[in-house]
Amino acid sequence: MSTIPVMIPWLGEEEAEAAAAAVRSGWVAQGPRVAAFERAFAEHLGVPHAVAVSSCTTALHLAMIGAGVGPGDEVVVPSLSFIATANAVTYVGATPVFADVDPATGNLTPDTVAPLLTDRTRAVVAVDQGGVPVDLDAIAALVEPRGATVVQDAACAAGSVYRGRPAGAGAELAAYSFHPRKLLTTGEGGMVTCRDGELAARLRRLREHGMSVSAADRHAGAGGAGAVETYDEIGYNHRMTDVQAAIGLVQLGKLPAMTARRRELAARYRELLGADLAAGLVGDPAHGSTNFQSLWLLLPAGAPDRGEVLARLAADGVSARRGIMAAHLEAPYKGTARVPLPVTETLTARTLILPLYHSLTHGQQEHVVAALKAALGR
Ligand SMILES: *Cc1c(COP(=O)(O)O)cnc(C)c1O
């Protein structure tokens, strides 16, 4: 029997055709398909501006610059997140300040953020961990009156809903990932969204070396024939390609079906696990719904060591994963936490992520649950 992986992207002939069409068009770098993907993504979210980039990490990097974060500033982030959340803060010379999270959602709350705010706090990065929407309004109400910006790390959250709107839609700045570990994938890719038109224009320049006229616009004759571009600040090459955007356009159309399927499979896991075990399963918060990008399970008290459980599952053909990492336990950030992070340390040590993907069959699900119950001695 072949191993059940933790994730398989839902890609098909339509994506292959769209990528091939981009190649055949002769325009493979950032161009018309990137522009179309940006418009479609902004429309999906109901936000005015979406700027496509090479990853969520580069989206977060630009969001930090857009929020005015620089050397000497502090940015409150959850330690319980993929390390790119903290790294983006470090890239701009600022200091990530690690806050603890809520045990049920894995997300920052006003209570965990408040004790860490100082005169130097320039921003807070609110993550939708594993797709669970963070309570953005509650954090913004705490942070914005102080003149700091809330940046939403919605890397995992395409398809999630917060207070009736797509997750991230209400943020000043939000960053999304299209890595294959997330729902909607372009291979590598990301998007940064914002409310302000001038900021969006600046982010577009920053992703392309700081150029005043993009290469695609110059090619299309915008800015006047023979327009010479200028470079008014230091930019980056954070561009997405048209091949990626072509795939993204198809994937965006499939997002509602992807999300519905994951939610259906998550509900079925809950039933199969039984009330006792399912008590440790991540679920919807009161203020929204998750896309179950990561379906994590907190091991019950008395369960064997998590490494032992993962090894037993692997031996049974199930490729589960450790839970979300904690940045403050990794070498670059070791010893930097200013407050104890007990919930973070419990979740990172005692959760595991179960296989969940569009083509997961009911039979495979039953096997995963049987293997898990055996691994837990139940
Ligand atoms: C995946 C992820 C990222 C990084 O996304 P990339 O597109 O791989 O750069 C950042 N933050 C969180 C919370 C993530 O889960």
Side-chain angles (χ1 to χ4, degrees), residues 51-53 55-70 73 75 84-85 87-92 94 122-126 148-155 168 171-176 190-195 199-200 202-204 206-207 236 238:
V51 178
V53 288
S55 69
C56 183
T57 304
T58 54
L60 287 167
H61 180 205
L62 294 189
M64 285 298 114
I65 298 171
V69 178
D73 291 335
V75 178
T85 307
N87 285 349
V89 174
T90 306
Y91 293 164
V92 295
R122 185 84 263 309
V124 173
V125 183
T149 304
V150 183
V151 171
Q152 192 159 348
D153 181 346
E172 191 76 42
L173 282 152
Y176 296 83
M191 196 75 80
V192 53
T193 61
C194 66
R195 292 184 201 150
L199 177 56
R202 183 175 175 221
L203 297 177
R204 284 180 204 291
L206 285 171
R207 76 166 163 194
Y236 306 89
H238 284 350

Side-chain angles (χ1 to χ4, degrees), residues 64 67-77 89 92-98 115-125 143 146 148-149 338:
M64 285 298 114
V69 178
D73 291 335
E74 295 177 357
V75 178
V76 178
V77 301
V89 174
V92 295
T95 302
V97 177
F98 295 116
L116 294 162
L117 298 173
T118 73
D119 291 345
R120 308 178 92 166
T121 308
R122 185 84 263 309
V124 173
V125 183
V143 169
R146 305 173 55 104
T149 304
R338 295 182 185 174

